[in-house]
Amino acid sequence: MKTIAFFNNKGGVGTTSLVYHLTWMFADHGIKTLVVDLDPQANLTAMFLDEDRLEQLWPDDEHPDTVYGSLRPILRGTGDIAQPHVEMITETLGLIPGDLGLSRFEDKLSDAWLRCHNRDESAFRTMTAFHRLVQRGAEWGAELVLIDVGPNLGAINRSALIASDQVCLPLAPDLFSLQGLKNLGPTLREWRTLWAELLTKAPADLPMPRGAMQPVGYIVMQHGMLDTRPVKAYKR
Ligand SMILES: Nc1ncnc2c1ncn2[C@@H]1O[C@H](COP(=O)(O)OP(=O)(O)OP(=O)(O)O)[C@@H](O)[C@H]1O
Ligand SMILES: [Mg+2]
């Protein structure tokens, strides 16, 4: 099984749309594909599901069938993740639905990152919750896992990337994306190096993701046209 995250700290470049279409494409080719919505905006989930289903998934009280529901025992400090619900869209396409509540996990993950330095087992469980979510969510035989994340360099994304074998960078051909890349490269390198260091402090009996986050390349969105000319940044 291979896990690929789609990530850019510059937002609005079409990441979620790309993940949506790629998921369908792989699934239509008969590759069992699990797609995981780890962006608290949950736009990907809204693309896959109709309003009636969304209302069922996101009632006023508990959300057992979303990513938040699965992570809740960790957030409350009462135990490990609950078995994630996988919404089967077709026989070859499963979705772990996103949730706005996921943003409440951000502080917990920031804190866990620091506590991992002290060999704290519960901190390692928190840091690797997404990894186990993906592994358990793929138990129906998923061969490929695609992860959509939001546009920032925060703790949720760090943890999502640690759970990923590869990372693909969607880009828009503009100055913002070029600037964004200058932050992204060093940050990914730093996350990978620090996680490798933390792994030496991890409890031996807890399965740990390697945190390879190997970059597999860029996908550049179609350029905008100004007066039938491509914008200058695209030419560059
Ligand atoms: N290839 C494309 N060409 C033109 N418009 C697109 C393309 N892909 C996405 N869009 C539009 O751009 C907007 C942002 O798309 P999307 O939500 O996929 O981006 P995103 O990078 O995931 O955004 P965010 O950073 O908020 O998560 C949407 O209105 C979408 O319909
Ligand atoms: Mg998005």
Side-chain angles (χ1 to χ4, degrees):
M1 191 182 79
K2 181 182 284 186
T3 304
I4 312 176
F6 291 76
F7 178 45
N8 189 330
N9 60 326
K10 165 74 178 77
V13 296
T15 305
T16 300
S17 309
L18 178 69
V19 173
Y20 176 78
H21 289 295
L22 282 178
T23 303
W24 274 113
M25 189 194 79
F26 286 122
D28 280 349
H29 277 80
I31 298 169
K32 288 183 183 151
T33 307
L34 173 71
V35 63
V36 187
D37 190 355
L38 292 186
D39 180 354
Q41 292 182 92
N43 289 330
L44 182 71
T45 303
M47 285 185 191
F48 274 108
L49 303 175
D50 62 30
E51 303 256 322
D52 290 341
R53 183 63 187 133
L54 290 175
E55 272 186 38
Q56 289 170 352
L57 285 172
W58 299 333
D60 286 339
D61 46 5
E62 310 267 302
H63 294 187
D65 289 344
T66 71
V67 61
Y68 177 72
S70 177
L71 295 168
R72 202 147 173 270
I74 290 224
L75 254 168
R76 298 174 65 200
T78 55
D80 205 351
I81 63 163
Q83 181 68 28
H85 163 74
V86 178
E87 187 90 2
M88 293 308 295
I89 311 285
T90 68
E91 271 180 24
T92 53
L93 198 174
L95 162 76
I96 298 185
D99 196 313
L100 270 86
L102 180 61
S103 48
R104 291 166 64 185
F105 205 37
E106 195 87 61
D107 286 347
K108 182 97 181 170
L109 283 168
S110 296
D111 176 59
W113 179 257
L114 298 174
R115 287 190 298 119
C116 282
H117 288 90
N118 303 332
R119 302 176 186 268
D120 180 326
E121 178 167 343
S122 76
F124 277 100
R125 280 192 188 280
T126 302
M127 271 308 297
T128 57
F130 289 149
H131 169 69
R132 284 192 304 289
L133 183 90
V134 164
Q135 301 298 313
R136 292 176 69 175
E139 278 168 1
W140 54 281
E143 300 156 85
L144 180 66
V145 182
L146 305 184
I147 302 180
D148 185 33
V149 297
N152 62 72
L153 300 174
I156 288 179
N157 288 354
R158 179 170 55 197
S159 190
L161 286 226
I162 283 172
S164 307
D165 304 312
Q166 301 185 324
V167 48
C168 172
L169 313 173
L171 295 177
D174 60 25
L175 189 59
F176 296 107
S177 272
L178 289 174
Q179 293 293 314
L181 272 182
K182 288 180 186 160
N183 299 322
L184 201 58
T187 303
L188 283 180
R189 265 197 297 277
E190 185 183 292
W191 287 352
R192 198 167 39 195
T193 309
L194 291 176
W195 181 246
E197 280 171 32
L198 286 179
L199 279 182
T200 64
K201 300 182 177 178
D205 54 346
L206 200 63
M208 289 284 140
R210 279 202 311 120
M213 44 181 121
Q214 176 200 8
V216 281
Y218 310 111
I219 294 182
V220 183
M221 230 177 52
Q222 203 44 267
H223 59 84
M225 297 297 277
L226 272 184
D227 231 4
T228 71
R229 289 177 288 115
V231 292
K232 212 154 99 195
Y234 184 74
K235 282 209 227 153
R236 283 172 63 192

